[in-house]
Amino acid sequence: MEEPLFSGIFSPITSLFSTVLTALYNLLANFGFGSYGLAIILLTVIIKIILYPLTKKQIQSMKAMQEIAPKMKKLQEKYKDDPQALQQKMVALYQKAGVNPLAGCLPMLIQMPILMAMYYTFFSFDYGGAQPSFLWIPTLSDTDPLYILPILAALSTLLMQKISTVEMTQQTKIMMFFFPLFMGFISLNLPAGLVLYWVTQNVVQILQQLLIYRNIDANSNSKEAA
């Protein structure tokens, strides 16, 4: 399978991930669970745990922006013919709510190189010349012959987006269904190991989001009770 473009840029990080993945496989093998599929799942969970503080900051910022979205919409309607006044009112709204509109972007930008490196790692990972099978998959280095992982990739992406989205505009509705379908489609031609990583990442992300949302709601209720 042809190596993706720009993969050399991420080679130091991909080498690290490959080393850790091999170490996890060897560790599992020592306990009688030698499986590259389980090693991929474990590595993905570890990375998501390490990135949890960034994920938490991103989701908290996104949640705060969603809460003030109705007020933003009213301001946009009220000052649609006065861009300068609209900008001043928006800044005032952000300050009053304690929201930084750029706070949700920074964690995402920090995570992108790691996500790209993970992509290149699983795209060209050397399984030691073996044909690593996992559950129904004959080899993780090839595509899923039963298309189960691509379906799971699409469904998990859809669920993750649904949990993340509060305000449903027409554009949001289109993207909510287009992007999962797109991910499922491209997953048909990707190595199963890479798609397994994507599905695992989505599942962990969903669990983290639910946990963060629950903590935010609990803190809000505590403040209201006080």
Side-chain angles (χ1 to χ4, degrees), residues 112-124:
M112 281 305 296
I114 298 177
L115 295 175
M116 290 300 296
M118 290 293 290
Y119 166 78
Y120 290 124
T121 297
F122 291 121
F123 195 96
S124 58

Side-chain angles (χ1 to χ4, degrees), residues 201-221:
Q201 176 190 251
N202 284 349
V203 171
V204 177
Q205 177 79 11
I206 290 169
L207 294 176
Q208 288 181 339
Q209 286 185 206
L210 291 175
L211 175 62
I212 294 169
Y213 284 153
R214 188 181 69 176
N215 291 338
I216 291 175
D217 293 338
N219 291 334
S220 299
N221 294 335

Side-chain angles (χ1 to χ4, degrees), residues 134-140 142-150 187-188 190-192:
F134 183 65
L135 300 178
W136 67 90
I137 305 168
T139 170
L140 291 168
D142 206 348
T143 57
D144 182 350
L146 300 181
Y147 309 117
I148 295 176
L149 281 178
S187 295
L188 294 173
L190 293 177

Side-chain angles (χ1 to χ4, degrees), residues 59-73 93 97 99 166-167 213 216-217 220 224:
I59 293 176
Q60 286 175 333
S61 177
M62 181 178 64
K63 181 73 170 176
M65 290 294 292
Q66 290 172 346
E67 289 177 350
I68 66 172
K71 296 180 180 179
M72 291 174 58
K73 190 174 181 180
L93 177 61
V99 174
V166 174
E167 186 180 6
Y213 284 153
I216 291 175
D217 293 338
S220 299
E224 291 177 1

Side-chain angles (χ1 to χ4, degrees), residues 50-150:
I50 294 174
L51 295 177
Y52 179 76
L54 293 177
T55 302
K56 182 178 180 181
K57 187 175 182 63
Q58 179 182 342
I59 293 176
Q60 286 175 333
S61 177
M62 181 178 64
K63 181 73 170 176
M65 290 294 292
Q66 290 172 346
E67 289 177 350
I68 66 172
K71 296 180 180 179
M72 291 174 58
K73 190 174 181 180
K74 289 181 179 180
L75 288 176
Q76 290 169 348
E77 292 175 352
K78 184 176 181 180
Y79 297 97
K80 61 182 178 180
D81 297 324
D82 191 348
Q84 186 174 357
L86 174 61
Q87 184 177 6
Q88 293 174 349
K89 294 294 183 180
M90 294 283 279
V91 171
L93 177 61
Y94 291 145
Q95 292 176 343
K96 183 177 180 180
V99 174
N100 183 350
L102 300 179
C105 300
L106 181 59
M108 185 181 301
L109 292 176
I110 296 174
Q111 293 182 66
M112 281 305 296
I114 298 177
L115 295 175
M116 290 300 296
M118 290 293 290
Y119 166 78
Y120 290 124
T121 297
F122 291 121
F123 195 96
S124 58
F125 183 73
D126 181 9
Y127 293 96
Q131 296 295 322
S133 61
F134 183 65
L135 300 178
W136 67 90
I137 305 168
T139 170
L140 291 168
S141 60
D142 206 348
T143 57
D144 182 350
L146 300 181
Y147 309 117
I148 295 176
L149 281 178

